[in-house]
Structure formats: C-alpha cells, structure tokens
C-alpha cells in the first residue's frame, strides 16, 4: 500500500508539470553489486531492479528459445527497489527470463540488463557457472606491456571482415577463433589475420562491437551483416561470432581465446562499446522492466534521440550510471579487456565518464579509454555537462577523436568531393599543424585558421586520437577516388601514403582503420553498416597488390615505436621541442623535433609534408643529415647531399644523429 501511495505521489508530481527528470531522480538507488544471477551448484539467486513494478516474476525454460516455461516464481520485494528470488537446486544449463507488472499489465518476458550468459539471439539468460567459460591458460593471461597512452597505435577491425574473404586463408571464417589462427596466408603467400597484425606492429586492436547485438539472426549468421552498433545484451559476447551460439558458454570461451591469443602475441584488445542507445526502444530489456527510467525524454515526454537510433540512454541517472560502470568493469575483470572506444560519448555526462575512468584505472592503470566527442543529434542534457570534444580537458584520462586532423588531411566526410591537405586543397596548413600538435596549445598554430576547432581543446597530447579514416564514412582510398577523380593512380597512392604519414608521425594517439595499409576499398559505399561481405570483407590479396604501401605503413609504425619524439607525453614538451618552419609557403608543412631534448636517439628530426601537386625543393640546413623517408619511400638512412626535391603529395623525413 505504501508503494502505491508513493506511485500516486510521483504521478501527481509528474502531471503537475515538474517533469520526469524529478520523478526519475527520486527512484531508489540500489547500491549492491549482485543484480542479475548469482550462481552456485546448489542454488541460484536472482535480483532485478524494478522499483515501481507491482509484481515481478522469474520464468525458467529448458532451452534458449521456444517452449513454455517449466517453472514460474513470484519474486519477493527486497531493498532499494529490487526484487529477489532464490531457488534451491542445480539449474546449470537451464534458461531464464523476468517480467514485471506495471499499471496492471505484464511486460514481455526478457533477459535482464545484467545477464552474462544467454542462449541463441540473446533472448533468455542461461544458468551456468561462468568459470566454465575460461579457456586453458586463462588464469595466466596477461596483457602485454604498455607504458604511455601516446605509445598506442590502434588498429580498428571488424571480426567478420577480418576473415570472411576466401583470400584470408583463415579456416574459422567470420568467427572470434578465426583471429586466433596463426600463419594464415593470402593467395600469394603473404600473412593475413593475426600474423598480419603482428607483422604490421600495431599495439592495440580495437574490435568493432563484440557485445551481443540485435540485427544478425544468430541461427543464420551468414544471411545478414552488421557492424553491431545495435546493442541487445551489453555483458554478453555476440553469438554470430561463435561456432555455437545456442550454448551460452561457447561464445564466451571463444572470445576469451581471442583475447588470450592477442595478449600472447603482444597485442592489446580494445572493445567498442555503445551504451548511448539500445537497439530496441519500447521493447528493450531496460524499458520492459522499468518503463522510461533508463532513457532521456524530450519536452513532449517522448524518447529523445541524440543517437539518431531511436533513443538515448540517461547516464546521469543513478541506475544507468551504475550499469555502465559495472558493465565496463565486468569486461575488464572477466575478459581482461585493455581499453574501450566509447561510441557517441558526447551523449554521456562528464561525471559518469569520469567515475568510470577512475574506477577502471584502479583495476588496470594502463587501460586506454577514448570516444567520439560528439552526438548524432540534439540531446536534452546541456552541452556543458556532456563528454563532448570541447570538454575533453574536463575528462579524466579519456581521449577523443580529432575530426580536425581527419578532415584536415582528406576533406570533410560530409562533402564527398571536398579535398584535404593530402589531396591538394590549399589553406589546410593550420589544420595539419593543429593535428601534428595533437590539438594542444602551441605558439605556432594559428587557431583561427583551423578547420573546426578555433582553440586547443586538448590539455595534453594523450587526449587526442589522430586519424584520417575509420569504419564510418568512405574509407580513405574511396574518398580519394571520389574527391580527386583526375589524379593518376600513382598520385592517389601518394596522397594515401602522405595521409597515413601525417597520422603516424603526429603527436597524440595513432589510429588506423583495418586494411588502409594496403588501400582497402569498400567500392565507394559510404555507410556499409549492413552491406554485404562483398563490400565489407577485407580482401587480403590487396596486400600483395599494394605491398609497397603495406611496407611503407609498417615502416611508419616502426619509426613511431623507435622514436619517442613522435609521441611526447606532455603538451609543454610539444610547444617547446616541436618547431614549425615558417618559410615553407602554401601547401607545405614542415617541422623540426628536438630529439636531444626529448630523449630520442636522433638529435634532430625534420618532417616535411608536401600537400601540393607540384615538386618542392627543401634543404634542412647545416649539419650531417640522413634521409629516413624520401617521397613516401624508405631510404635506408642514406646521407643527404644538399637539398631534396619533394614530389607531389609526399612525405620526407631526415634526421641528424
Ligand atoms: Ca546477437
């Protein structure tokens, strides 16, 4: 009765115009860490949070889909808005759902948001001991060493794309364990998959969503393709990447095998997480159990939509904040994940992101967290509170993607014909300088002339992700074809190499998209989120076809790893020891790094980017110089005699020992 009184008082408040925010803020917060199933061989304890439900039930099934429940339990009201059910016996291998009654109506029977094991298509929770999911050697699993955040060279990869093409030579095509196969080869015998990643030398592999997403039918995983930005179960791996999606244990064990194998071969694993919205809105598991609470509403009381996917979650509300924190903590502890890329992070509030990063750094001090500092639509939460790019200085140990350098290099992603510095657009020098200094404060950047940001938003270089291509929008090679249609194949290849030269020598954290190192194409498709494998699959034979590009990019990665001057840890060092040449004129960006002062084995390093279609002559000045790169080619450290003629669209790097 007391509950009903409370409900009426809240409803009265709502209809009197105080709004839902106040209503939801007064929902009781549950502080325990046992939401969902606590399993033992002799009993199961289930707890869900549904503070204003009138009733709650637990339903048990024999299978992950089909059939009626073999048992239904009325759950008991417990503390802080939770409902509890404890059942004695060994229920391993059975499945479960919950439903709640709200204003006299039963919700759908759903897996709860905290579910960790599910059956096929993530519709029902599976009861089992999580320790059964550990592959051999898991207790000794250790992440490879990683010191400074600016040491990270991230490689963004989709699990299915990596192996689904015949040219991958990988047996378990489209599966987590496909990425555990070693010494796989393309048609010509060049390495693919995991061996390729090792050969390339990246430090972190960022996997596009590997949590359980909604769009692909796991009973027929080859019928449909999706990137996976449509979350269903946040704490469960995606079933279509498992060799058996019916058994909840297999997908977990196989994903852990991937993590373990990557770790053993020197690669850290970053997960792409999408807490900003759920695939389903009204019918999502969150919304079925607690209507409205987990989502922001607009003035009309409808779901607001800053994600452009039908809803946006409300990280500022206690129980969604708690969910995000516990979910990410779970992936780190249970799956040994080394970092997160936070999708549309600009939807989340700063306080939540800072709480999460603080807690995750406690568990894993060298964790890497970065996100998209923007939204895909307007949000009711004020900009000043949100984790957007302009607020990155208020974020604790979190980086944001630099769209300034991305579009400075290749042109706007929204204007397909637009070119950037690397494809010959004049006037982009300051945007490139801004990228070179990782969006930090530098006396030689004219911020008024930077394409987007008119001030240095990063306080320190590790707050910036330098990139020119990711899964979104055209891949670089396609963008160049569309925006520079008159360029010859050779010119366009040079533009591509110049673009990646800028990314991999800039300060901040480096990020490249899978396959860009051998001119991956998506055949001009801009948004391939549900395109067929014929568009999305990585064609590993391109590696052989463009082996010079691959070797060049591999060399850039080696250069970056060997020379700390390219990955300075402090903004004040960048301002002091990186000096731009002011005499270069239009279309050329040149700078010197003081290697001596930055602890580098090279005393001076001169970097030159020629973004024009003309040759340019450069002379680094007095002293004994050697050439590392000349015109997008590795030069075996040959001595420099006088000056260098730079070809169109090229990078040259010389150094003094
Ligand atoms: Ca799924």
């Amino acid at each position: 009765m007391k509950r009903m009184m409370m409900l009426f008082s809240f409803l009265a408040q709502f209809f009197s115009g105080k709004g839902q925010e106040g209503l939801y803020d007064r929902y009781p917060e549950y502080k325990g860490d046992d939401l969902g199933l606590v399993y033992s061989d002799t009993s199961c304890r289930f707890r869900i949070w549904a503070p204003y439900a009138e009733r709650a039930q637990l339903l048990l099934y024999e299978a992950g889909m089909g059939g009626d429940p073999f048992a239904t339990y009325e759950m008991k009201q417990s503390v802080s808005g939770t409902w509890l059910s404890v059942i004695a016996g060994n229920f391993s291998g059975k499945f479960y759902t919950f439903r709640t009654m709200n204003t006299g109506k039963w919700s759908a029977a759903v897996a709860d948001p905290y579910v960790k094991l599910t059956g096929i298509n993530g519709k029902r929770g599976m009861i089992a001991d999580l320790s059964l999911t550990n592959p051999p050697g898991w207790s000794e699993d250790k992440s490879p060493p990683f010191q400074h955040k600016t040491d990270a060279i991230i490689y963004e990869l989709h699990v299915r794309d990596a192996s689904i093409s015949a040219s991958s030579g990988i047996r378990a095509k489209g599966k987590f364990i496909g990425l555990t196969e070693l010494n796989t080869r393309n048609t010509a015998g060049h390495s693919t998959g995991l061996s390729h990643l090792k050969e390339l030398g990246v430090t972190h592999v960022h996997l596009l969503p590997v949590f359980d997403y909604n769009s692909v039918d796991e009973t027929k995983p080859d019928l449909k393709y999706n990137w996976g930005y449509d979350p269903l179960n946040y704490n469960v791996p995606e079933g279509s990447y498992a060799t058996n999606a019916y058994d909840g244990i297999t997908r977990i064990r196989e994903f852990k095998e991937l993590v373990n194998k990557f770790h053993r071969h020197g690669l850290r694993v970053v997960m792409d997480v999408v807490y900003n919205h759920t695939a389903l809105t009204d019918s999502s598991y969150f919304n079925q159990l607690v209507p409205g609470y987990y989502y922001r509403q607009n003035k009309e009381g409808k779901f607001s939509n800053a994600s452009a996917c039908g809803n946006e979650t409300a990280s500022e509300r206690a129980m969604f904040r708690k969910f995000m924190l516990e979910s990410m903590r779970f992936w780190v502890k249970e799956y040994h994940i080394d970092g997160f890329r936070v999708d549309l992070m600009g939807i989340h509030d700063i306080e939540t992101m800072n709480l999460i990063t603080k807690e995750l750094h406690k568990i894993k001090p060298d964790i890497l967290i970065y996100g998209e500092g923007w939204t895909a639509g307007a949000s009711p939460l004020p900009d000043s509170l949100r984790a957007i790019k302009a607020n990155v200085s208020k974020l604790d140990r979190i980086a944001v993607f630099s769209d300034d350098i991305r579009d400075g290099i290749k042109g706007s992603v929204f204007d397909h014909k637009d070119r950037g510095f690397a494809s010959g657009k004049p006037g982009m020098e300051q945007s490139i300088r801004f990228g070179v200094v990782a969006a930090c404060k530098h006396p030689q950047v004219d911020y008024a002339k930077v394409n987007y940001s008119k001030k240095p938003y990063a306080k320190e270089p590790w707050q910036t992700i330098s990139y020119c291509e990711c899964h979104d929008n055209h891949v670089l090679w396609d963008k160049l074809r569309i925006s520079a249609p008159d360029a010859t194949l050779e010119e366009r290849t040079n533009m591509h190499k110049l673009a990646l030269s800028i990314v991999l020598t800039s300060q901040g954290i480096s990020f490249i998209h899978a396959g860009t190192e051998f001119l991956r194409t998506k055949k001009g498709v801009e948004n391939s989120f549900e395109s067929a494998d014929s568009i999305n699959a990585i064609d590993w034979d391109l590696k052989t076809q463009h082996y010079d590009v691959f070797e060049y990019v591999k060399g850039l990665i080696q250069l970056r790893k060997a020379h700390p001057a390219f990955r300075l840890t402090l903004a004040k060092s960048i301002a002091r020891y990186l000096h731009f040449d002011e005499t270069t004129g239009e279309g050329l960006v040149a700078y010197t790094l003081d290697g001596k002062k930055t602890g580098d084995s090279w005393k001076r390093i001169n970097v030159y980017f020629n973004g024009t279609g003309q040759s340019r002559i450069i002379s680094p000045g007095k002293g004994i110089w050697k050439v590392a790169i000349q015109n997008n080619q590795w030069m075996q450290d040959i001595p420099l005699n006088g000056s260098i003629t730079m070809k169109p669209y090229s990078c040259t790097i010389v150094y003094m020992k």
Side-chain angles (χ1 to χ4, degrees), residues 212-214 216 218 238-239:
D212 183 21
Y213 56 79
N214 189 52
V216 172
E218 296 175 0
E238 164 59 17

Side-chain angles (χ1 to χ4, degrees), residues 574-646:
I574 297 174
R576 210 174 289 167
Y577 305 126
L578 190 156
H579 185 81
F580 289 102
D581 183 346
E582 297 291 7
T583 66
T584 48
E586 200 168 77
L588 205 70
V589 170
Y591 64 92
T592 297
L593 282 163
D594 188 334
K596 201 173 171 186
K597 293 276 172 50
T598 55
D600 203 283
S601 59
W602 290 350
K603 296 238 164 22
R604 291 187 86 74
I605 306 170
N606 280 11
V607 179
Y608 303 90
F609 302 132
N610 178 11
T612 72
Q614 288 85 46
S615 294
R616 304 284 288 263
I617 295 169
I618 49 147
S619 24
K622 284 184 204 146
I624 302 162
W625 294 89
K626 284 189 170 177
V627 185
I629 294 173
Q630 184 174 343
N631 296 322
N632 302 335
Q633 299 284 341
W634 288 95
M635 297 308 286
Q636 312 281 336
D637 309 304
I638 58 156
L640 172 68
N641 291 315
S643 58
I644 289 180
T645 301
M646 285 190 77

